[in-house]
Amino acid sequence: MLLLSSLCFTAMALFCLAMSKHRQQIIAQEVPKLVVRFFRPAAWLLLTFTAYLSVELFGWSIGPALLFGALTMAILLLTLLLTYQAKIVPQLAILLSLISSISLLNS
Amino acid sequence: MKDNFRQSMKWFHTWVGLIVGWILFFMFITGTLGYFYQEITRWMEPERPFIEHSISNEQLIDIAQNYLTKNAQGIDEWDIYLPTVRDQNLRVGWRHAPEAGKKRGRYQRAVLDINTGAKIDSRATGGGRLLYRMHYRLHYLSSKISYWIVGFCSMLMLLAVITGVVIHKKIFTDFFTFRAKKGLPGWLDIHNVLSVIALPFHFMITYSGLLFFLFTYMALSTNLQTNENEYSEMRKEIFPRSAHLESANQPSAMLDISSLYQQVKMSWKNDDLSTIEVFAAHDINAQVLFIRHETDITYNPKDQVMVSAITGDVIPQASKEYTAAGMIHNGFFSLHEGQFAGPVARWIYFFTGLIGTAMIASGLILWTTKRKPQQMKKANGPDFGYRLVEQLNIGTIVGLPIAIAAYFYANRLLPIDMIDRVNWEANIMFISWALLLIYPALRPANKAWSEQLQLAALVYMALPLVNLLTTDKHLINSLVQQDWGFAGFDLTFLAVGACFAFAAYKYKTLHVDKKVRKPTIKQEVIKESGQGSKQGETFGNEGLLNAPQVSKGNS
Amino acid sequence: MTYLFNQFNLSSPSWAVFSRSLAAIFGGYVLATSSSLFIGQLLLNSVGKYQAIHIGLLLSFIVYACAAMWVFSVSSASKAWGGLIKLNVFLFVATWLLMQLNGVAS
């Protein structure tokens, strides 16, 4: 559950990075255009993987329900951070994805 | 109406949301508390012991079976509820034979003391069950009337959700946009963000809520298409029941349930078992059904194991046959109730419910915020309709949480042997809500907001203290015993109180600063304290100009 | 009460809103019922009687919601009433025809 939430958070942060308005909020320096193009597909990829993971872990019926719950929490956190502490979003996203990949490998 | 479809939907959204907004707020907040109804009941029965950390399921089953054999003689149906994360006590229940003319018999429950094996006598309380039943039973009304009122409100909620999606043009590009401004744009963004992030939940909870009374609401349609027999057959097809044997009236000695449990244990993890149902106890047909914590939103045949209590053999069960539509129907029920949710998922359910509550609150506040500048220019002060909405907002959005705290106070402070105690707990809740609805009519709106916020902070902060003075199940003891059921409850009270205190403080500073508009009432409801801080820094003269007129209008 | 309606400078007076509300509440309910009857007959042979009725009932709330939204989006209250009545009559007739058809078939 926490794993799902952190993956969702990272995916949503990538979506944010794909939008120029929000990118400026999060990152101070310019990002190469080529890299920017990769944010959105990467976000979709990660989201799809999270969806797959939720079904794999919790089954077809509960999995999607938990996925939406995790998404809600992740977006809530992200929206609040964007408003008040935008700068820590990238760090947090990297940290959460690291933690979740370690816990994935362990399980 | 308006030429433009979106414009007319916007108008529709506004009024559909407004007319039943307060009832919806009530339904959402009591329903959200329902996700923790077992925990609430346990807190409200402080005579129950603390959690016992090391005791095996077999021992627990033996204690329960001993008690039931002695105290439920001649009863066919027994239930044993094992301690779970949610309700950490051993409980039993049994159903009496139906009285003449009734379909089902009376159900009796008992919480057992693990050390003595005796029943624990708790104070009479409605507990969490009464609280969450309010969200569709509306407490004082007859069930028929309240189902129709609830249905009407839910229908309008469904309309508000759908129209909300229709009018929201850029649902994805604005996904994360939350401008922490004060006044109208700020409230609009809060409302949008709260609606969008939990949109699947809002739709699911509303639609499934309607499905609960589908056959009541659409009785005309079913009556036209089916006769009485066909109707009950249809119900059986939609909600299949697992079959069990009836008593054959031939007494027979039953095996120990804990020995039967050995067979079940092999297929499950040890801590999965949640409930045991016994049918035809002490009869030749005696059967025991072992049920584990739900692992599927419809039905997983592996969650249940039926064992004969006479021979000890596992009885293979025919799996329930669901139709496709029945699967959807039952799936929605299960999503609504969230019984399958583990601890983390349960908290997410709870927060999502609060997001829904806050969404309604922010919508209601948005209505007044939008009209405030125009209303304040009127020569005779604001219109009656505007003042009414504002007062109902204050009395409900802050008043109802205080009233719910009053329910908990009543539980601790009313005399234990009081007659009709259960009803008085609820009466006190509704009396306090009524008082808090009247109070804003006597005070200027900004004063009423501020005072009720302070009161809310005070009552929630003081609840753990009252708990400390009146029972031995207070925070210190529960932390020492590592009983998170009790401790989590008191800690949540403190957190809610702190959020209200923050909101009240924020309101005061903003108000002294430059009489700006309302504080972010909603975010203490959803318990995130950052949101309000930038709400009103530079909003200018309008508020200053308005303040005296508000008081005039309201007093 | 009039305040509530005048607030929005509706081109139509307040009774039109009242009329629309009645159309949405009662007309919509009848439409929900007739659509469920229609679906109940339409799917009768493919999924069985009970499930056909059930599907009709499950969809009735969506029909109700769409009807209410539609009532408040057309240009006048009389148009809303007219449309609802026409649609209802159509559904009842279609249901009756299907019943004849199904009756013959079974």
Side-chain angles (χ1 to χ4, degrees), chain A residues 54-85:
Chain A
S54 72
V55 172
E56 190 72 3
L57 288 175
F58 300 102
W60 265 112
S61 52
I62 294 183
L66 293 186
L67 177 69
F68 279 121
L71 262 178
T72 302
M73 287 299 120
I75 301 172
L76 180 67
L77 180 65
L78 184 59
T79 317
L80 287 175
L81 285 178
L82 273 180
T83 316
Y84 300 107
Q85 281 292 324

Side-chain angles (χ1 to χ4, degrees), chain A residues 1 16 61 72 75-76 83-84, chain B residues 175 178 197 296-297 344 530-531:
Chain A
M1 196 67 229
C16 266
S61 52
T72 302
I75 301 172
L76 180 67
T83 316
Y84 300 107
Chain B
F175 213 63
F178 168 62
I197 57 172
D296 199 287
I297 57 175
V344 180
Q531 212 161 328

